[in-house]
Amino acid sequence: ENSLGIAFSGGIDSCILAKLIKNKTCYTSGIKGCSDFNSAQSSSKELGIKIKKIILSEKEIEEAIPIQKEILEKLHEKINDNSLKPSFSSVSYNLPLFFVAKYAEEKNIVLGQGPDEMLGGYKRYLKMNENEAIKEMNNDAKLLSEIKWLQNKETLNYFNKNIFLPYLDKEIVEFCRQMPYELRINGIGKYILRKLAENLGLSKEISSRGKKASQYGSGIIKIMKKVYN
């Protein structure tokens, strides 16, 4: 069996994947002292796994930005969909993965994208009423599963790596789309996923952990604000 690389932030999404996938190496990218390194280190101890930290310098991030822009621009030209047009947001969203793809030894990389959009993981959903939140989650999940994942795929392809997105399996996406609100959001986002984590034997610390999006948790966005143009 070939080993898989997992983009691992220490949050619930990647912890569940690391728990279920046997033969893997977990990679966390970010600047020195970033919160993702702390979360990943804490979670890896509980899971009994080793993580490979990809510690990024400001110079390396600055040099990667135009490359990531070019990857996204070529995809935009190929698909001709304005939602794929490179922007500060889309570049920052893909850069943590860019560095995992660059440094991972494995050819096949597993990502935990999906639960935040499908199951209300972002704080903004919690501020909406039920109907608004369901509509927004379904729209975001549709955009992710049909369009945005292509950016992740192209980023990995640049380094001759393959992408695997277990949470974006068509049956899982449809299952989540039809799921009652109280199983997605029940005082906290990703409620059903947190219950799954508990059933898998993960601690309360992991199952209830909130986490920043990877561009924030990695500290990459902090550098991008200084050097992006």
Side-chain angles (χ1 to χ4, degrees), residues 6-132:
I6 300 179
F8 186 78
S9 64
I12 184 172
D13 307 343
S14 56
C15 280
I16 286 175
L17 295 177
K19 176 79 173 178
L20 294 174
I21 295 170
K22 300 298 182 189
N23 193 17
K24 78 278 184 174
T25 305
C26 294
Y27 295 91
T28 309
S29 65
I31 64 174
K32 191 173 181 180
C34 69
S35 62
D36 273 5
F37 283 157
N38 295 331
S39 297
Q41 192 67 48
S42 171
S43 295
S44 68
K45 285 180 182 176
E46 178 180 329
L47 291 166
I49 60 175
K50 290 183 178 178
I51 57 169
K52 291 193 175 180
K53 292 182 181 178
I54 302 166
I55 302 174
L56 306 170
S57 67
E58 182 172 322
K59 183 174 184 289
E60 187 168 15
I61 294 169
E62 186 173 3
E63 289 174 348
I65 289 170
I67 302 171
Q68 183 67 71
K69 274 186 183 176
E70 185 180 358
I71 292 168
L72 299 182
E73 183 54 48
K74 284 181 178 178
L75 176 64
H76 173 234
E77 290 172 0
K78 184 165 66 175
I79 305 293
N80 195 26
D81 187 312
N82 280 338
S83 62
L84 290 170
K85 194 171 183 179
S87 64
F88 180 90
S89 176
S90 64
V91 171
S92 69
Y93 173 75
N94 283 278
L95 268 185
L97 174 62
F98 176 97
F99 292 111
V100 170
K102 180 179 179 180
Y103 288 106
E105 297 172 10
E106 295 77 13
K107 186 171 178 62
N108 300 315
I109 308 297
V110 181
L111 309 183
Q113 322 294 53
D116 284 317
E117 290 83 357
M118 298 188 298
L119 300 173
Y122 296 128
K123 287 182 179 178
R124 58 189 170 88
Y125 300 126
L126 302 178
K127 298 174 183 177
M128 302 174 185
N129 66 42
E130 181 176 330
N131 289 335
E132 287 173 337

Side-chain angles (χ1 to χ4, degrees), residues 203-228:
S203 69
K204 191 77 174 174
E205 182 188 352
I206 289 178
S207 64
S208 63
R209 179 181 289 154
K211 208 191 75 62
K212 299 174 181 176
S214 60
Q215 60 266 46
Y216 292 92
S218 64
I220 285 174
I221 204 160
K222 186 190 300 183
I223 306 301
M224 280 188 63
K225 286 177 179 177
K226 293 167 59 178
V227 302
Y228 188 89

